[in-house]
Amino acid sequence: MSVDDANARLSRRGFLKAGAGATAAAGSAGVAAGQEDGNESDGNETAGGGGGGGGTETVELTGDNVFDPAELYIQPGTTVVFEWTSDGHNILVDDQPDDANWEGHEPIENEGFTYEHTFEVMGEYAYFCKPHASLGMEATITVNESGQNPAASGGGGGPSLPDSALTMGIATMAAMLSTLGLAFFFLKYGGDYETPE
């Protein structure tokens, strides 16, 4: 065996070790990023956390003639700020709990206008935009103790995996499989590229 053969094997081993190290690092970075991202708010949660309301939420009246979000779950004492991001909308209350006093905002307003209301009474509030009712511009606000959708949070299906963590997991798996594929190729076919005499 010549010195060149030994160096070729050593460099292949070095390559495989470096590839395995990079794969391990990518895997741990993907898990860490998924865990970090799982702790971030998606903007639809009550700003007051578990402390009994008092936070704020935002509902936009958009140019697509929708309320965004169309379904909002909040705790009692949460203030909802309605922001007009396009022209020609209003808020008419269709249904609300018996003890509630929400009047909505009947005048038609344009982009840049804001209106807010603090929801104290638990129950479901249904509302719509009169000029765009025929287009389905309607929404609900549900005030409950948890400020969460009971159907989404009470199922007992275990913790949910954030989309970003799932994406990082798939990318990490692809990187690991690519590294293993290259390792197999180099181990099987080696580095002997000279033609036999």
Side-chain angles (χ1 to χ4, degrees):
M1 174 173 17
S2 71
V3 175
D4 289 336
D5 289 339
N7 287 339
R9 285 189 185 149
L10 181 59
S11 62
R12 267 184 288 165
R13 283 189 189 125
F15 170 79
L16 292 176
K17 285 180 183 179
T23 301
S28 62
V31 170
Q35 288 174 344
E36 280 180 21
D37 211 32
N39 293 330
E40 292 178 7
S41 169
D42 64 359
N44 292 328
E45 296 152 3
T46 303
T56 60
E57 289 290 337
T58 301
V59 173
E60 292 183 352
L61 290 77
T62 74
D64 294 328
N65 298 320
V66 296
F67 292 98
D68 184 23
E71 292 183 0
L72 181 64
Y73 294 86
I74 59 173
Q75 293 177 309
T78 300
T79 299
V80 177
V81 178
F82 296 88
E83 292 183 358
W84 274 247
T85 61
S86 67
D87 297 342
H89 302 296
N90 67 355
I91 301 171
L92 294 181
V93 180
D94 192 31
D95 190 30
Q96 64 182 314
D98 291 335
D99 298 339
N101 63 353
W102 186 34
E103 297 177 2
H105 186 81
E106 190 169 349
I108 295 175
E109 303 291 352
N110 294 321
E111 182 176 354
F113 182 78
T114 61
Y115 157 77
E116 64 182 48
H117 179 77
T118 301
F119 292 85
E120 301 287 351
V121 179
M122 289 201 294
E124 185 173 290
Y125 298 76
Y127 59 100
F128 65 97
C129 171
K130 187 172 184 178
H132 302 110
S134 63
L135 299 174
M137 189 170 180
E138 56 188 38
T140 60
I141 294 174
T142 303
V143 182
N144 59 25
E145 285 189 26
S146 69
Q148 302 288 323
N149 182 345
S153 60
S160 63
L161 186 63
D163 288 342
S164 58
L166 182 60
T167 302
M168 288 300 295
I170 291 170
T172 301
M173 185 61 71
M176 292 170 69
L177 290 175
S178 297
T179 303
L180 289 174
L182 283 171
F184 173 77
F185 177 82
F186 282 115
L187 288 173
K188 178 158 178 96
Y189 298 106
D192 298 330
Y193 300 110
E194 297 178 16
T195 56
E197 295 179 18

